[in-house]
Amino acid sequence: MLGSEDDDAGARTPPIVHTRAYQQELLDESLRRNLVIALDTGSGKTHISVLRMKHEAEHNSQKVSWFIAPTVALVEQQCEVIKTSIPVSVGLVSGASEPNQWKDPLLWRRILASHRIMVTTPQVLLDALHHGYVDMGSDIGLLVLDEAHHATGRHPYNMIMRNFYSTLPPRTNLTNPNDRVRPMVLGLTASPIYGGNVDVAFRELEKNLDSTIRSSRVNRDELAQHVHRPEFKHVLYASPTHAWDGLPSPNYQALKAVVDAMNINEDPYVVSLRSRLARLQTGDDRRRLDQQLSRAVDKQDTFSHKGMRDFARAAEDICRELGPWAADWYVAKVIERAKMAANPYNNIMSAWQEKEKRYLLKILARVHAIAPSPKPEDIVNGITPKVRALVDSLISEEALFRSRDEDYSGLVFVTRRDTVLALAELLRCIPETAQLFRLGCLLGSSSSFKRHSFLDITRNLVEENQADTLRDFKIGDKNLIVSTSVAEEGIDIQACGSVIRFDPPPNVVAWAQSRGRARRKRSSFIIMFEESGPQKVKEWEETEQKMMAAYNDPRRDAIVAAQEVEDDVMDDYVEFQVASTGALLTIHSAIPHLNHFCAVIPSGGQNSHVPIYELDPPDYADGWHSDSNREQPPYQGPWGATVTLPRALPKYLRKFTTPRIHSTKRKAEQHVAFQAYCELYKAGLLDQHLLPLSTAIEPDKKEEVEAMLAEVAKRASTARVSIQIDPWALSPEEVVAWFSHELTVEGLPTLRLLTRRPLPTFAQGDFPTLYIPKRGEVAMSISSTQLIPVTEEEEQRARRYTYRLFFILYGGRMERDNMDFPYLFLPTSDWPDEAIWEERRQWQEERYSRGFVVQGEGRHISNAALFGEQFMYPSDLAIVRGVNKFDKPLRLLSWRYDALSAEEEERFREQYDMSPDMAVTYPLMVVKSLPKRRNFMIPFTDESTDRRQSAVQDDSPFLLHPKYALVELASQNELQYALILPSILRWLANALTVNALRTDLLAETPVYNVPLPLLLTAITAPISQELYHYQRLETLGDTVLKFLSSNQLYAEFPLWHEGYLSRKKDHAVANSNLAKEAVQKGLYRWIIRDRFVPRKWKPHYVSIKSSPNDLVEEQEVEKREDKGKKTKKSAEELSTKMLADVVESLIGAAYEHGGFDLAIECAKRFGLGLSWKTLPERIEEMHKVEDLEDLPEQLGLVEQMLNYQFRRRTFLVQALTHASYQGDSAVMSLERLEFLGDCALDMVVTDYLYHARGKNYTPGYMHIKKEAAVNSHILAYICLNASVAVESIMPTWSPATGLETVDDTQRIHLWQCLLHSSHRLLEDQNLTFARFQKHGPAIARALAEDSIYPWAALTSLQAPKFISDMVESILGAVYVDSMGSLDAVRQVMRSLGLMQIVERVVVEDVDVLHPVSRVAIWASQQDPQRNVEYKIEKEKGQVKCVVLVDEEKLLEVSASYRSRVSEDEVRFTAAERAMKKLEVRDIAVEDTVMIAEDVVEGDDDSWGGAPEYEW
């Protein structure tokens, strides 16, 4: 029952909870004032807090209750208790929730709005308060602090109360619940004291928490019934008898001898520091390194030395505490694990450096450790009296519980972690305890991957994790746990029957907390003491009695806490608050804030950036580490400090200093960090929550856009209209009149076109080409608009003519006698044979009006036999058909007068088996099916066929009986128009959609003038299956937009580092941002998404709100049953990506027509959250930098390599400056220029691929070919390959020739010109160049000659990122220096050899598909599909990749293991060899992306699904 048995263990609440009287007493008191409830563990404190939060939730709906607990484990278990007990939403946030990533203020507001109770660690709440995400006065009504005794010093509990609670107005009786005032406070603790002075401790805790400490006063007897105090026992043991300098452990003695002989000057860290110091010139970097070396020599706290000393000290303590056998076991076990960890062929301790591993192996090899004896008698003889006493106590306790017929469960508290391990091993090996106890260990948990100490390897000695151990203890699989203090509080552990303190508790809190673990009835609490006796116990008991008397004394309620002088926690306290958000920077939070700011600055693949602190004066005199300079004692203060921030910042924001006025080093560093962070805020590099801008530039808009799209769809559904506009629809205010145009199709007579709205004036290049079988490519045009009066008779004639024209082929889908079309047609007066056809139609009209019709005849359809008799069987008939309703239209080839043979007649009669008595009369009709082509916008695909001939083979001719056939009274010209008009009207509707876009969204912008074909392509979605759609333009526009955005941001924010720029650019060009702007501008109305399906076409009707051109409705689902194809929607729903794609394609169209200036105008129309200026204006802003006076010597050599002369060399210096460079140069590091150069490189390559002659690459192809040109491997190769020869001569002398000069020409490489101050970076450079020297020639040959791109060979360079960054930063410098000339960038790319690689990839069609992708595609194409797996194995310094095909080994590749990149190298190489062995060929992008161009002509059913865009 919650609060009745085990609240601190997080027991689950049963259905009914009974509140005890003492709990109700304290609950009532907590409603009146702030309380710290002091009750023993197990008495139900949590139940009181649950009831208090339940009351708060019921009476204050505007503010939350905030429950804080000091550990993640305690937060999780208490959250479960609260969720089970209170029917409201409960939120949990701890370090495991990654709250450092929660930088969106709106996210916190949503959390607070959707939860009534929050359960967090104190640091989470403190951070949220610091950044202004949470306002304590407005958001929190009740603050509950579990384990409240922690609220002292700098603990987050105390910082929350000092910095945020105490600054708020106090509550009064007149306070409204929603006022911004202090929340109520409820603390929970079993021991409200630190130290031995109860009065001082109580005053401090009550002052810090603005509360009164209370326990039950009225219901003490009931409280006593529910608190099971254990029986206290003490165990005495004899002191160890061995001398302090002669411990009887041979392994410890061997270890101590080796540790004592260690020389700090041989430590690899010290050796490395001395080597680096010798190479450095005088300056800041040398001074810092000198201090670092002196500190290492003085403190001897290097990883290796400190670790070995800790090891020896732990072994010594174990020997004294547990005995020589345990010490021998511990030393042998740690050395075994250390050798495994230090072995260079594995990666157990990745934090260890290679030199440290080798050094430790050498040191450990000198320790001649022996394995401890496994014999029980040797083990027992090798234990101390203390262990013997523990064993006897455990055996006695277990026997006592067994005599009561109870299961034993015990907990042994030990101070040191290593002693826990050794003691547990002893208890497992001593026969008496091994038989009785099932042991587990608790050491606490740590998930950090940072390097801490050498002895961290002992964590691996515990095979089970903490959660498993606790679970096994609960269910009885384990009955004894040996633990550090981690189990004293905050761990969900069941009540124990016996708790033993192997080491006495250090204070009264530890005494009370560990005793509280023994909560079972008739439990025991045992403390072990040396023979001198348990004198401390009496002190603790007295302190506890004073404590209980104090919080039960009613007179204390009237005592007002005295305003004491602030302790040193608040000395020199300063703070800075942002008024708009309440975000607070304090002197104590400045250093972690500044560390975080530096850490988020991109580091180019090297170590994360950190602020560098230097004390004033330094800790050590210059050169103190040398033996001759150690006389001067260290300086004792006062102190000043300087902090240096990364070079990614401008010079004036890089260095800050505070004078020598601070009493401690720590305070000096805090004050200079506080000063630096305030200046960063003033410079605009922090947001209003005092966070780096990269974490809160803009929130993700995806959910917002999806909601907007849903609203658009809802409105469209309600109004019964399509989201896509109807270009034929008229608005109510438009004048109803007819506008006349002339439609001209090459080879056909002109047709008048009447529309209700004037058509725009089309340029000749706007019109499409028609592809007509037997006629080839045919031109068409529509004349300009004329407003002419149309009589009612003429309008009716046009309606009848249009109806008759469409009825020829589409009558089955038309509405009978409905002539309400938005477009009308009439022939011009010069149509040939019109008089003849008018006579024929008049004849049929008379017959029809008099009722003289036979089966199938209509007003414009005549029986073929009767028609032939009347008009002499003419041969100019355009279309005939059978008399049945669903007979297809046919072409008349001729009339046959020759008699049929017997065989022909037999076949002929089979056609008319329903008329067995039919008489065969002559002439018969020779007919043929109409051509199957209906979409005349699609080009012919068969290049080998003469386009003047049919592109599709016609069916064979057959015969019809005239008596059973019908003749359409339409001429050949009318049939031609009936066939092609749907295609023409489709184009015209799309053109009108473009015109609507122009006159609305693009009105009064230069983008209005972009040619119609480009705009039409830009707004046509691939799902429409039009010949041209936006995918290629979108790919181009995407690159253009990123290029332009990068330029705008680079110029507008000169203080921003690359991380800020990238984040802002990514937000600006994100699909969600583009889609939001598109929705707000209504762009979705002009996106052409519906499909043109001629076999379902019918004319558009004004009176019916249908989709334009009667295309497939958006929700129509077309089922494909052949070859098991899945059902698929024929039209794509409006999506975020589609909207974003259209914005980008419009920008691409603007760029194609008018370059970057017009593209900027288009982007400006959508805004996108950026301030848009022309590129020349932005380039001018980029040039507002000061020129350097002292330029590095290597600049001229770099210019020779680039074949480019810089106008302002300052840009080149920046492009060559690494973030580690410590010189006096004012320039920022290269990352900003690398950001600009990256987008310039992308722009050059994408533009080239888009316009590659004769290629017309699909987006998929453009993507993979661009990746081949801009990936980090090829850029690193380019950098390593770039060099220039420096001619020089060197004198030499020999006895034979005397003094002479010889050629000493040297080659300087581009990578050598990087300005840096990092020994590690130099080492990376040299190793990478060594690999380049080995693999470079083969890569060069492959790039110049091979037909397949050398992915694996390039990967073998294993180049660090900063090498490829150099190329991009140089290109960025060239771009800025040349005033924004991409031609200059292109020329430098050519000088470096990169442009030639791009051109060869295109011109020679080099296969750039990645080998891993190629093999995967091949496997998916096999029938049945094959499964390919790459299995990576590491062993003895080698890494091996085994290729498995259907679990059978195909091949393997191995190489030396150097880093993670080695795994990629063998995997890529293995994939290339697998390609050859499996004979994988002819795998192309089309195998994964359906290409829209490859539409097969023929029956419309052969059209595939909508083309997909996967890149």
Side-chain angles (χ1 to χ4, degrees), residues 1203-1221:
N1203 192 25
Y1204 178 83
Q1205 187 72 35
F1206 278 82
R1207 300 173 180 83
R1208 301 185 66 188
R1209 285 184 159 188
T1210 298
F1211 297 120
L1212 181 56
V1213 174
Q1214 183 178 349
L1216 297 174
T1217 301
H1218 189 266
S1220 67
Y1221 184 56

Side-chain angles (χ1 to χ4, degrees), residues 885-1048:
K885 181 177 180 181
F886 299 107
D887 284 351
K888 290 184 177 181
L890 304 167
R891 240 179 341 134
L892 177 68
L893 299 180
S894 63
W895 296 90
R896 175 168 175 170
Y897 294 89
D898 300 336
L900 300 177
S901 66
E903 184 179 348
E904 288 176 324
E905 183 173 342
E906 183 179 354
R907 287 199 303 270
F908 181 66
R909 286 187 178 278
E910 287 176 358
Q911 294 178 224
Y912 296 95
D913 55 357
M914 299 297 292
S915 304
D917 300 330
M918 176 189 70
V920 179
T921 59
Y922 296 92
L924 299 177
M925 307 174 76
V926 182
V927 298
K928 196 175 187 179
S929 297
L930 290 175
K932 293 182 179 179
R933 171 176 283 258
R934 291 293 184 271
N935 188 345
F936 296 92
M937 300 291 183
I938 300 176
F940 302 114
T941 56
D942 188 356
E943 296 294 337
S944 64
T945 302
D946 182 355
R947 293 190 178 187
R948 293 291 170 180
Q949 305 298 318
S950 172
V952 180
Q953 296 299 316
D954 292 334
D955 298 333
S956 300
F958 59 97
L959 298 174
L960 282 184
H961 197 301
K963 182 179 178 181
Y964 301 97
L966 300 173
V967 173
E968 287 279 359
L969 300 182
S971 65
Q972 293 282 359
N973 290 329
E974 288 174 331
L975 174 60
Q976 287 291 313
Y977 270 116
L979 284 167
I980 65 176
L981 274 178
S983 299
I984 293 174
L985 289 171
R986 166 64 170 183
W987 171 84
L988 184 55
N990 292 346
L992 292 176
T993 302
V994 171
N995 189 62
L997 171 69
R998 278 173 162 168
T999 56
D1000 189 319
L1001 183 63
L1002 305 181
E1004 300 179 359
T1005 72
V1007 188
Y1008 181 96
N1009 298 316
V1010 174
L1012 184 144
L1014 270 176
L1015 287 178
L1016 179 55
T1017 301
I1019 64 172
T1020 302
I1023 195 66
S1024 67
Q1025 293 192 340
E1026 291 292 325
L1027 178 60
Y1028 298 109
H1029 52 74
Y1030 64 56
Q1031 282 188 342
R1032 271 176 48 82
L1033 271 179
E1034 177 268 325
T1035 302
L1036 178 65
D1038 173 73
T1039 304
V1040 171
L1041 177 59
K1042 289 175 180 174
F1043 174 74
L1044 295 177
S1045 301
S1046 299
N1047 274 267
Q1048 304 294 326

Side-chain angles (χ1 to χ4, degrees), residues 255-274:
L255 173 63
K256 184 175 185 300
V258 169
V259 171
D260 290 344
M262 291 176 67
N263 184 349
I264 188 63
N265 290 306
E266 296 176 358
D267 189 283
Y269 179 67
V270 173
V271 171
S272 173
L273 290 179
R274 289 193 189 279

